[in-house]
Amino acid sequence: MNVNKRKLAREHMMKVAFQMDARNDFRGEDREVYMDREKIKYDKKYCEKMYELLVAHHDEIDCKISEYSKDWEISRIPKIDLSVIRTALIEILYFDDIDPAISINEAVNMAKKYGLDTSPGFVNAVLGAIYKNENK
């Protein structure tokens, strides 16, 4: 897999997670809106798997984020940060072929690109805590 294509696919899926959150739509009923094959020019297999996992495990993912985002209710986390964390956490928990350190690093880079000045540190702290504590 071309690393650049995977990076673009990650960014695409972070944006999909953001849109789903904005529409409060994690049921998977609007798949064609988010997964239009003409729009996905990167790693379609990865994007489709990520979408399916986001729909299937949304509540579980959000529970983990709530548990590890100290003193932050999930509703108060900036939507970009939340979308970045959701996509990285899906990779960490459900993609055996992706090194979690890569997922965390890519998430921090996305947070730098799309988030606030505080986003990279927050994203790194939450994902690092989840990975450390869930892999004991």
Side-chain angles (χ1 to χ4, degrees):
M1 162 62 21
N2 180 317
V3 174
N4 196 39
K5 285 184 180 180
R6 177 59 58 88
K7 179 181 177 178
L8 293 171
R10 276 187 184 101
E11 287 191 14
H12 174 76
M13 291 312 299
M14 181 275 298
K15 292 173 185 177
V16 167
F18 183 86
Q19 290 172 2
M20 292 172 80
D21 192 34
R23 293 177 68 181
N24 194 24
D25 176 27
F26 288 95
R27 298 178 316 261
E29 295 173 2
D30 289 335
R31 179 187 187 93
E32 64 280 351
V33 171
Y34 307 114
M35 301 306 295
D36 181 349
R37 288 186 147 304
E38 297 300 315
K39 291 180 184 175
I40 303 173
K41 302 185 183 337
Y42 326 111
D43 184 347
K44 290 180 173 117
K45 185 177 175 183
Y46 166 88
C47 290
E48 289 172 359
K49 181 177 179 182
M50 175 67 75
Y51 179 81
E52 291 298 325
L53 289 166
L54 181 58
V55 169
H57 298 284
H58 171 258
D59 291 336
E60 177 186 344
I61 296 294
D62 281 6
C63 282
K64 289 223 183 285
I65 295 169
S66 290
E67 181 181 345
Y68 288 96
S69 56
K70 296 178 181 163
D71 301 325
W72 281 87
E73 290 181 30
I74 205 158
S75 63
R76 295 194 58 229
I77 297 173
K79 299 301 183 193
I80 290 290
D81 295 1
L82 187 55
S83 299
V84 168
I85 293 169
R86 282 175 174 150
T87 54
L89 194 49
I90 289 170
E91 282 189 359
I92 291 167
L93 296 175
Y94 305 107
F95 281 75
D96 294 333
D97 61 331
I98 301 174
D99 182 342
I102 292 172
S103 299
I104 293 170
N105 186 58
E106 289 294 318
V108 169
N109 287 337
M110 274 195 286
K112 287 177 184 176
K113 182 175 180 179
Y114 294 102
L116 305 170
D117 290 341
T118 57
S119 296
F122 179 73
V123 166
N124 188 52
V126 172
L127 291 172
I130 293 171
Y131 176 67
K132 178 182 173 186
N133 289 306
E134 297 293 318
N135 287 304
K136 286 185 175 179

